[in-house]
Amino acid sequence: MGRLCAYILLAISAGACCGTDLVWPTDSKAFGEGEDYTSFIQPTASGRPESGLFGDTRNNGYRFHEGIDIKPVSRDKRGEALDGIYAALPGKVVMINRIAGNSSYGRYVVMEHPGLDVNVYTLYAHLSEIDPSLKVGASLPAKGRIGRMGRSSSSIPIAKAQSHLHFEIGLMYGSNFKAWYAAQKYKEKNFFGNYNGMNLQGFDPLEFYRAARSGKIGEGLSGYIKSLPTAVVVRVYTRDIPDFVRNYPTLTDIDGEECGWDIHFTWYGLPKKFERIKNPRVGAKGGEVEIVSYSPEEISRKCRRLIIVRDGQAPRLTKELKNILNKIFM
C-alpha cells in the first residue's frame, strides 16, 4: 500500500473512489527511512524524548500534548531552524495567523482536507515565517510549501535548541465555537473563529502515519478513527442534529431512535463515533445526559479526565467533558 520515494512517503487510499498522498510535513527523512522517533521528535527542555510525542507526555503525565513536535534537520549560523514546512495532504488553507503574539501556537496555519472520507484538519504551528503568497482559500498539493520552521509563541519563549514544528491532525467539534467561546468570558480575544485550537481535537499524528505506512488506512480514514480505543460512551437525549454529525457522516450511525445520540469518546476527548440511541430509557427527557459505558483502563489518566469514578458512586462527567459536549451541541 505504501510507497517510499524522494519525499512522497506514503500513498493512502481514502475510500473506494478516492486516493491521495500523505507526506511528512518537514524536510526530515527519518520517519520515511524507518528510524526511531527519537531521531525526528524534538523533546522539551526536559530532554525526555517522549515529551515531544502526542498524549499525556508532559509534567509526569499531568499535561496533555495535542500533537507531535518535529525537530529541524538544518540550521543557519545563528542556530535558527531552516526546515521548510509542507502540507501533509492535498487540501485548502482555511486559517493563517501571521501575528505570533496572538496565540501560544505562534504563527500557525490550519488546512482542511475535503478529499478524504473524513474531512480532517491539519495544523502547523510555531513557524518563523509563513509563505507570503499563501492566502486563505488557496489550494495546496501534498508537499505544497507553507512556510519555515521556527519557535514563535505568545506564551513561554521557545529556545533555539527546541525549535520545532508542532503538528496536529484531527477533527472540528462544531461550527458554533465563537458563541461557545464568548459564553466562557475568557479574557483573551478569539482571533481565529472556528479554527481556534480549542475547537480542533487532534488524534495521534505519529500513530496515524505508522498506520498509513503499514496499509491500515485501506478502508478509509473513518475506519481508522472508529478503531481508536473507546474510553467512554455518553448518551445525550436531544432531537438536535449537531454539526459534527453533518460534517462527519462516515463517523455516524443513524440506525436508531431519533431521541438522541450515543457518543463514543477517546480518553482525550475525540468524538470517534456518533450513533442514534438504540435502546432509549423509558421516560427520558430532552437534555438528559447519561454515561452508558466506560473503559477503566482508558480513563485512568492523570490529564484530560472525562469522567469521575469513585467507589460506591455513579460515574459522573467532568467539567472538561461537559465543555466538549457544550461545544458539540452549542
Side-chain angles (χ1 to χ4, degrees):
M1 185 87 179
R3 58 185 174 91
L4 179 65
C5 59
Y7 62 78
I8 301 293
L9 300 179
L10 306 162
I12 62 172
S13 170
C17 63
C18 179
T20 189
D21 291 319
L22 172 68
V23 307
W24 195 251
T26 77
D27 289 325
S28 175
K29 294 181 174 60
F31 174 81
E33 293 172 353
E35 296 185 30
D36 184 76
Y37 78 85
T38 55
S39 65
F40 55 84
I41 290 294
Q42 175 63 59
T44 62
S46 70
R48 295 169 56 250
E50 63 271 23
S51 63
L53 295 175
F54 175 93
D56 49 350
T57 59
R58 297 184 173 179
N59 294 19
N60 195 31
Y62 285 96
R63 183 180 168 200
F64 184 73
H65 187 225
E66 199 165 332
I68 57 173
D69 292 346
I70 304 173
K71 66 173 62 173
V73 296
S74 60
R75 296 176 181 269
D76 63 18
K77 293 180 180 179
R78 299 172 298 158
E80 300 288 359
L82 290 173
D83 296 47
I85 303 303
Y86 311 100
L89 290 157
K92 64 179 181 180
V93 177
V94 292
M95 202 287 300
I96 298 175
N97 175 45
R98 298 184 187 273
I99 302 174
N102 282 350
S103 172
S104 60
Y105 282 139
R107 298 178 189 88
Y108 79 101
V109 171
V110 178
M111 290 190 64
E112 181 181 7
H113 306 281
L116 305 171
D117 70 328
V118 177
N119 200 34
V120 297
Y121 295 82
T122 51
L123 184 149
Y124 311 79
H126 302 313
L127 306 182
S128 64
E129 65 177 21
I130 296 170
D131 192 314
S133 66
L134 200 65
K135 307 293 183 185
V136 170
S139 295
L140 288 180
K143 208 62 179 185
R145 186 178 174 88
I146 290 173
R148 180 157 56 90
M149 186 183 293
R151 52 193 182 98
S152 61
S153 175
S154 67
S155 54
I156 300 174
I158 300 172
K160 288 181 185 179
Q162 273 74 52
S163 296
H164 63 274
L165 169 70
H166 174 85
F167 175 66
E168 297 181 14
I169 179 169
L171 309 176
M172 179 181 285
Y173 282 126
S175 302
N176 294 314
F177 176 79
K178 288 187 287 186
W180 177 87
Y181 191 93
Q184 309 312 304
K185 301 188 184 303
Y186 290 122
K187 293 181 181 179
E188 298 82 6
K189 183 178 179 180
N190 175 22
F191 294 98
F192 317 112
N194 289 330
Y195 302 106
N196 186 301
M198 296 173 69
N199 196 35
L200 300 174
Q201 177 56 59
F203 50 87
D204 191 336
L206 186 53
E207 285 305 310
F208 172 66
Y209 272 78
R210 287 170 174 163
R213 180 168 61 185
S214 62
K216 295 180 180 178
I217 316 294
E219 296 181 0
L221 186 53
S222 60
Y224 173 78
I225 293 174
K226 287 187 286 190
S227 75
L228 297 172
T230 299
V232 59
V233 179
V234 176
R235 177 167 295 179
V236 179
Y237 286 97
T238 177
R239 292 193 175 275
D240 291 345
I241 300 176
D243 287 338
F244 194 96
V245 169
R246 297 187 179 94
N247 295 338
Y248 302 109
T250 57
L251 299 178
T252 303
D253 175 3
I254 59 172
D255 184 18
E257 302 294 328
E258 296 185 3
C259 60
W261 303 94
D262 285 344
I263 311 170
H264 300 239
F265 287 100
T266 64
W267 72 264
Y268 46 88
L270 180 77
K272 46 169 275 190
K273 182 182 178 182
F274 269 66
E275 60 179 337
R276 285 292 193 184
I277 299 173
K278 295 176 173 55
N279 55 340
R281 176 169 49 83
V282 176
K285 298 179 180 179
E288 291 189 55
V289 179
E290 302 172 349
I291 296 173
V292 177
S293 62
Y294 64 90
S295 164
E297 181 180 0
E298 287 296 314
I299 66 167
S300 60
R301 306 278 181 162
K302 296 176 182 178
C303 67
R304 284 290 176 105
R305 288 182 176 269
L306 300 184
I307 64 172
I308 298 171
V309 180
R310 294 194 176 124
D311 291 341
Q313 299 181 21
R316 55 193 175 90
L317 278 63
T318 63
K319 182 179 179 180
E320 183 139 24
L321 184 49
K322 289 177 181 178
N323 277 338
I324 291 172
L325 291 173
N326 286 335
K327 282 185 269 190
I328 291 172
F329 289 99
M330 188 72 183

